[in-house]
Amino acid sequence: MSDCNEGRDAQVDRELAGRLRRAIRLAFDGDANLQRRGRHLETRCLIQIGTERLLLEIHAGRPTIAEQIPLLCSWAFAIRADAKAWSALWQPVPAPGSHDVFALYKRGEMQIDGNLQPLMANLQYFKDLVTLPREGEGR
Amino acid sequence: MSEPRFEPIVGRYLTVPIMDADCRVYVEEAGSGIPLVCLHTAGADGRQFRHLMCDEAVTSRYRVLAFDMPWHGKSYPPVGWQDCEYQLTTERYVQTVRAFCKAMALDRPVVMGCSIGGRIVPQLAHAHGPEFRALIGLEAADHQQPWYDTAWLHRGDVHGGEVCAALVSGLVAPQSPAQHRHETLWQYMQGGPGVFKGDLYFYRVDSDLRGKLAGIDTRRCPLYLLTGEYDFSCTPEDTLRTAQSIPGTRVTVMKEVGHFPMSENPARFREYLLPVLEEIAAGAA
């Protein structure tokens, strides 16, 4: 791959990471139902979009994204995929196979690892959280 | 005073001898004509077919019946359930369906099942085809690849109902109306502890039908397989592969539908189902 392509890919990763960052900041504040459902949740997780990594600190269900990931930092679990997979998931009406975290996982386009207990105990919360950038009703 | 707004569905309890126990089974029905027995998905119950039972285009020619499997919905587990772990097996499932049809004295019913109900349909065709007028498998295949560890479905530090619903929520198509999406998920939230997991024992462990479906005579018992394009559990490719192994199978991939066609998008589903029911009724005439 050329340096030019790598640069373009990194730019796309940054744009999508920015999109998730804004959605979590703005859409979460406007989603009383999501706040209510997550109210007992305390955890830290990593969302990776290509080369971009976002560390989510969640207290009483409220996520904040660290400006920088501290050195030797740990998190409970991570959800990782490339920009293409995240972008497909966030389409207003995603295509079959790209419409759910586990659809992507089953196809090998998304990786989920770590201590999954906080994820599975709050699964719909996290599914809704990571699809906040999606526009429309298909969540 | 206004008249009560009853739906045409009537529910009753029926004693069904299944293997070594009399089971108290809840059954709903509507309509008259050719018996159409509907099998719900794993971890859910017969309410999934409520739209079908209120559809005159169906009930004018079909007697639609949906029962809750023992352990599901309003059917209790068998006496002594507290001392065992629920595990559905192929043998138990086949016997349950046949025992229900016998207890109801149904004459060569059509059986339509979804998901685990779809998986049992080819097995019914294979082992007991002449007993049925036709068989319809929704989200049906001879095998499919698992996508999560079922241990998550029943453990103390994860709410069973919430995780079951959240897992299957991705199997509903994005286009399905919110009301029907959330009614579908509500049933998963209401399931008894370990019941969804016990159903998936059949689905994951005890019913790999690949290479075991020889001898199905689709001229005598027509077999229809319909799968939603958004079903990533039983994918359209899984269904198409299965259909290729059974000569004469009619297969349809349903657009903008997921794993629960009858409950997640009843209006879209009927567009696909009515022609099938029409064809079966024409063959029966």
Side-chain angles (χ1 to χ4, degrees):
Chain A
M1 192 188 292
S2 70
D3 290 348
C4 182
N5 282 342
E6 283 179 11
R8 261 203 306 273
D9 291 345
Q11 177 65 22
V12 171
D13 294 348
R14 276 195 296 277
E15 285 171 8
L16 291 177
R19 194 169 153 194
L20 180 61
R21 197 183 282 270
R22 283 191 300 279
I24 286 179
R25 194 174 62 236
L26 299 176
F28 184 86
D29 279 344
D31 194 334
N33 197 28
L34 188 54
Q35 293 169 27
R36 178 183 59 80
R37 286 191 279 122
R39 66 192 179 282
H40 297 300
L41 178 58
E42 303 283 334
T43 194
R44 181 191 273 172
C45 63
L46 186 85
I47 308 291
Q48 187 159 345
I49 301 168
T51 54
E52 288 290 308
R53 302 192 305 165
L54 302 179
L55 182 68
L56 272 66
E57 298 262 13
I58 303 176
H59 298 296
R62 175 167 291 277
T64 54
I65 299 177
E67 284 303 316
Q68 283 196 317
I69 298 179
L71 295 172
L72 297 178
C73 179
S74 61
W75 45 82
F77 65 91
I79 303 175
R80 311 170 207 264
D82 63 16
K84 188 178 165 198
W86 286 109
S87 184
L89 179 68
W90 294 341
Q91 291 301 304
V93 181
S98 297
H99 62 291
D100 182 74
V101 166
F102 288 106
L104 290 161
Y105 173 79
K106 186 178 180 188
R107 286 152 49 106
E109 295 178 19
M110 185 163 271
Q111 292 79 47
I112 304 170
D113 54 58
N115 168 23
L116 302 190
Q117 193 277 336
L119 172 69
M120 300 305 280
N122 300 275
L123 186 55
Q124 195 62 53
Y125 167 94
F126 279 108
K127 281 189 170 188
D128 292 347
L129 191 72
V130 301
T131 51
L132 280 174
R134 182 185 295 166
E135 295 167 8
E137 294 298 312
R139 190 184 290 170
Chain B
M1 199 186 298
S2 60
E3 290 292 311
R5 296 168 62 194
F6 285 119
E7 295 185 6
I9 303 170
V10 174
R12 298 184 71 179
Y13 290 91
L14 173 76
T15 300
V16 183
I18 300 172
M19 297 178 84
D20 51 357
D22 274 351
C23 294
R24 184 171 185 261
V25 167
Y26 179 68
V27 53
E28 292 183 343
E29 68 169 285
S32 59
I34 300 167
L36 172 61
V37 176
C38 302
L39 308 177
H40 59 74
T41 63
D45 59 66
R47 284 175 294 176
Q48 289 179 325
F49 296 95
R50 76 178 184 90
H51 306 284
L52 207 61
M53 286 192 272
C54 292
D55 188 338
E56 275 193 33
V58 177
T59 55
S60 59
R61 275 187 302 183
Y62 284 86
R63 179 186 179 195
V64 185
L65 304 114
F67 67 97
D68 298 346
M69 297 256 288
W71 300 81
H72 300 71
K74 294 174 80 161
S75 297
Y76 276 126
V79 172
W81 67 269
Q82 67 277 10
D83 296 324
C84 61
E85 181 182 6
Y86 169 62
Q87 278 189 336
L88 184 65
T89 61
T90 302
E91 182 190 8
R92 177 169 290 277
Y93 201 1
V94 167
Q95 293 218 20
T96 299
V97 176
R98 295 179 73 214
F100 173 80
C101 295
K102 187 178 176 188
M104 291 292 295
L106 303 177
D107 175 29
R108 289 192 71 224
V110 179
V111 171
M112 176 170 73
C114 187
S115 186
I116 59 166
R119 174 72 59 82
I120 206 64
V121 153
Q123 178 64 21
L124 292 172
H126 168 67
H128 305 286
E131 295 178 22
F132 303 100
R133 196 173 309 246
L135 291 161
I136 305 170
L138 310 174
E139 319 309 317
D142 52 11
H143 175 74
Q144 63 220 53
Q145 286 301 317
W147 48 283
Y148 62 91
D149 181 352
T150 60
W152 287 110
L153 303 178
H154 189 203
R155 48 186 272 172
D157 59 353
V158 175
H159 187 287
E162 298 232 36
V163 74
C164 291
L167 277 164
V168 304
S169 68
L171 298 176
V172 179
Q175 296 87 350
S176 291
Q179 176 195 346
H180 300 316
R181 161 187 293 269
H182 292 290
E183 271 191 19
T184 300
L185 299 182
W186 182 248
Q187 291 192 17
Y188 279 84
M189 294 176 181
Q190 290 189 303
V195 172
F196 187 31
K197 180 171 182 277
D199 283 339
L200 294 184
Y201 178 82
F202 159 72
Y203 211 39
R204 296 270 186 93
V205 180
D206 196 48
S207 66
D208 186 344
L209 300 177
R210 287 175 294 183
K212 300 177 186 172
L213 294 174
I216 292 176
D217 185 354
T218 54
R219 288 164 302 180
R220 190 163 181 191
C221 176
L223 177 61
Y224 299 84
L225 301 181
L226 299 89
T227 292
E229 64 172 345
Y230 277 91
D231 188 347
F232 67 87
S233 180
C234 174
T235 65
E237 292 74 25
D238 291 325
T239 302
L240 291 166
R241 180 198 65 238
T242 306
Q244 281 174 357
S245 72
I246 309 170
T249 304
R250 278 89 139 182
V251 62
T252 305
V253 176
M254 298 180 283
K255 295 287 182 191
E256 300 186 355
V257 171
H259 191 71
F260 310 95
M262 62 284 171
S263 68
E264 69 171 72
N265 197 340
R268 175 53 60 96
F269 176 53
R270 75 193 292 278
E271 293 173 16
Y272 291 103
L273 182 66
L274 290 179
V276 170
L277 296 180
E278 174 76 37
E279 198 170 293
I280 293 171

